[in-house]
Amino acid sequence: MSLNTFCYTGFDNLKQMWLRKYESSSFQKDCEYLWNQVRPEDPIPAHLFGNMWSQTWEHLSDFLAPYPNATMFDVTEALKKKYTQDKAGVTEMFKVANEFFTSVGLHDMSVSYGPKAQVVKPADREVVCHASAWDFSNKKDFRIKMCTNVNQEDFVTIHHELGHIQYYINYKNLPETFRQGANPGFHEAIGDVAALSVNTPKHMMKIGLAENQAGISKESSINYLLKTALERVAFLPFGFLIDAYRWKIFDGTIKRKDLEYEWVKMRSEYQGVVPPVIRDEEDFDAGSKYHVPGNTPYIRYFVSHILEFQLYKALCITAQEYPANPLHECDFYQNKDAGAQLKKLLEAGASKNWEIILKETIGQDKMDASAILEYFAPLLEYLREYRAKMNYPIGWSKTAFEALVKRE
Ligand SMILES: [Zn+2]
C-alpha cells in the first residue's frame, strides 16, 4: 500500500484530498487556464528580488518607478502623524478600517480588535507576529492577532484580516460544516477586495489621509500600478507553482530522485528565476517555504489573487464607479448596493458549490483573470511602449537552469 492510499480514506492521493473543496474535476486545468491568461507574452528577466523565494518583487519598486519625480502614493507619513505607535493609536486605525465595511452595510467588527484581541506586539513576551484572524465558533467571539505598526502596509493588512472576520460573522448561523469560504481562495480575497478600494488616492482623501490630488496624475498612477504589480502580479507564478509542483509529486509525475531538479526547472519555467549557486539532490529548496514542510495547501493564494480583482470589478460595476473611471481608481466606499452584493456571497459560506455562489452573486460561474488584466491595463500599455522605445532585451534561456542543478 502506498503512503498516499494508506493515509487518506476514500482518496487515491493527497492531491485529490486537498482539491476536494473545489468540487470540480477540472480545477487543475482551470488553474492552468488562469495562469495562461495572465502569463507574460515574453519571458521575464529575473535576478534578485529582496525576497527569499522571489515570490513578490515590490522591494524593487524604488529602483523601477517609471516616473521617479512623480508622487509615489504612500500614506505612511499621514498615518504616523495621526496615530501613535501603541494600542490606542493602532486601535484607531482598526476603527477606520472597520468603518469601511460598515459604510457599505456590512457588520460591525469592533469585537475583533477589542480588549481580548492582540493588536500590538506585547512587550513582556515572545509571540508569533504573523497576522491572523480567529473564529471562536461560538457565534460571538472573533479576534485578530497582529503586531500592528503604523504604516500603509499594515493599514492594508488590517483590511485583509477584517475580511476574514467579516466572513466569520456573516456565516456564523450556518451549520458548522458550512462555516468556511465558498472555496479556500474566497476567504483570502475578501479583505483584499476592500483594500483595493481603500488604497485609491480618492479614498485616502475621503478619510483624511491624503490632502490634495497628489497621486492621481497619470505618472503617479503608473508608479502606483507598477508597485502594486510587483507585489500582486509577480506573486502569481509563485502562487501557482508551489502546488503545481506538489501535485506532480503526489500523483507520481515527479520522482523522489528528481525533487530538486524539478523544483529548479519549474522555478525557471514559471517565475524566470534560477538559483544563485549550483544545486543538487542533496538540496531541497522547496522545503524553505513554510507551507511545504508545514503540509499546507497553497493554491488558495493564487486563486485569491485572481478572484480579488474579479469580485472588485463586480462591486465597482454595482457601485457605478466602473466603467465611469479606470478600474484602479474605483472606490465603492459607502455604497450599500455593492455591500449587499458582497454580503450575499459572505452569508452563503460554503453551503453551496462555489461556482453556484459566484453565479448567484456576481453573475459569473467561472474564475476569470480579465479583471486583473483590466486593472493593470494602463501599466501594460506603458510597458509595451517603453519596451518598443528602448528596444529592451527580453527573455531568458529555457535551458539555462540545467547548468545550475546537478541531476543524479
Ligand atoms: Zn488571510
Side-chain angles (χ1 to χ4, degrees):
M1 188 178 277
S2 81
L3 177 71
N4 287 348
T5 47
F6 170 72
C7 295
Y8 304 104
T9 321
F11 297 99
D12 289 337
N13 58 48
L14 192 53
K15 168 182 157 185
Q16 279 187 5
M17 187 177 174
W18 279 11
L19 292 184
R20 75 191 184 284
K21 289 187 180 171
Y22 294 91
E23 298 179 276
S24 160
S25 55
S26 65
F27 184 72
Q28 185 177 351
K29 260 205 189 119
D30 295 346
C31 287
E32 287 277 0
Y33 175 77
L34 290 170
W35 162 244
N36 278 315
Q37 250 189 311
V38 294
R39 67 180 296 165
E41 284 169 6
D42 297 297
I44 310 162
H47 306 285
L48 296 169
F49 298 96
N51 173 288
M52 194 158 111
W53 307 275
S54 315
Q55 70 178 60
T56 63
W57 300 358
E58 77 267 22
H59 290 293
L60 303 186
S61 63
D62 287 346
F63 307 105
L64 296 180
Y67 300 102
N69 296 325
T71 326
M72 291 293 283
F73 186 68
D74 190 336
V75 298
T76 296
E77 284 313 307
L79 286 165
K80 285 191 167 149
K81 239 183 238 171
K82 236 176 161 169
Y83 308 117
T84 45
Q85 178 57 57
D86 55 17
K87 190 166 182 181
V90 161
T91 303
E92 290 303 312
M93 272 176 37
F94 274 88
K95 280 185 191 167
V96 173
N98 186 36
E99 200 270 332
F100 180 87
F101 290 88
T102 57
S103 87
V104 298
L106 292 168
H107 290 285
D108 171 67
M109 297 175 277
S110 319
V111 62
S112 70
Y113 52 88
K116 288 179 176 172
Q118 181 220 289
V119 292
V120 284
K121 189 177 182 181
D124 58 346
R125 62 188 187 280
E126 287 293 320
V127 295
V128 176
C129 269
H130 189 85
S132 53
W134 298 84
D135 183 354
F136 283 69
S137 302
N138 62 359
K139 306 186 185 188
K140 56 181 186 209
D141 201 352
F142 310 92
R143 298 182 208 173
I144 284 173
K145 177 187 69 67
M146 183 169 165
C147 303
T148 320
N149 290 307
V150 178
N151 59 41
Q152 180 158 349
E153 191 186 341
D154 279 18
F155 188 54
V156 168
T157 305
I158 289 174
H159 291 81
H160 177 91
E161 298 308 330
L162 284 178
H164 289 305
I165 301 283
Q166 189 61 232
Y167 223 147
Y168 299 153
I169 296 177
N170 274 283
Y171 59 51
K172 67 178 183 178
N173 291 320
L174 291 177
E176 172 72 35
T177 347
F178 298 149
R179 285 185 229 160
Q180 293 177 47
N183 76 35
F186 278 65
H187 232 298
E188 297 304 330
I190 302 307
D192 290 356
V193 172
L196 284 174
S197 188
V198 169
N199 245 341
T200 56
K202 187 159 53 174
H203 183 78
M204 292 299 191
M205 276 188 277
K206 280 183 202 158
I207 60 172
L209 287 171
E211 277 167 11
N212 47 42
Q213 300 290 307
I216 1 189
S217 72
K218 183 169 182 268
E219 287 75 18
S220 44
S221 268
I222 297 291
N223 281 350
Y224 171 70
L225 284 174
L226 184 83
K227 190 176 169 189
T228 313
L230 287 170
E231 186 197 337
R232 308 203 84 80
V233 179
F235 175 77
L236 292 173
F238 184 79
F240 182 67
L241 89 85
I242 292 284
D243 277 4
Y245 171 72
R246 289 190 291 177
W247 294 338
K248 283 189 187 175
I249 295 171
F250 297 156
D251 71 13
T253 313
I254 293 180
K255 303 283 178 275
R256 195 188 176 103
K257 66 177 180 50
D258 297 323
L259 288 178
E260 180 68 9
Y261 176 84
E262 295 290 344
W263 169 255
V264 173
K265 185 178 168 194
M266 286 179 81
R267 293 265 281 168
S268 157
E269 187 179 331
Y270 286 94
Q271 284 188 282
V273 299
V274 287
V277 292
I278 294 179
R279 317 304 287 156
D280 61 32
E281 292 298 332
E282 289 292 300
D283 302 307
F284 180 53
D285 290 340
S288 68
K289 185 67 194 166
Y290 165 82
H291 302 70
V292 173
N295 202 34
T296 307
Y298 204 75
I299 198 68
R300 66 185 62 169
Y301 299 104
F302 174 74
V303 170
S304 79
H305 275 60
I306 301 279
L307 190 62
E308 165 194 340
F309 289 91
Q310 191 175 0
L311 294 176
Y312 174 66
K313 183 181 162 186
L315 299 180
C316 290
I317 291 171
T318 301
Q320 300 187 342
E321 278 278 300
Y322 181 79
N325 305 293
L327 190 52
H328 69 275
E329 287 176 16
C330 150
D331 176 23
F332 59 87
Y333 184 51
Q334 293 173 330
N335 190 288
K336 300 280 193 295
D337 294 335
Q341 191 176 22
L342 185 55
K343 191 171 176 56
K344 195 173 171 195
L345 184 148
L346 298 174
E347 280 178 339
S351 60
K352 297 174 196 170
N353 177 291
W354 63 268
E355 290 181 336
I356 297 171
I357 294 174
L358 207 56
K359 179 88 185 162
E360 288 176 352
T361 52
I362 67 165
Q364 298 161 2
D365 59 3
K366 288 270 173 283
M367 286 192 289
D368 180 64
S370 58
I372 187 173
L373 291 173
E374 253 170 280
Y375 185 93
F376 289 107
L379 176 67
L380 210 56
E381 194 189 309
Y382 164 84
L383 290 172
R384 285 203 178 112
E385 279 171 19
Y386 180 81
R387 219 159 69 185
K389 197 169 68 191
M390 305 296 281
N391 197 14
Y392 209 79
I394 291 218
W396 73 98
S397 155
K398 293 285 181 196
T399 52
F401 82 91
E402 302 263 10
L404 289 160
V405 57
K406 281 192 195 144
R407 226 172 167 178
E408 296 277 290

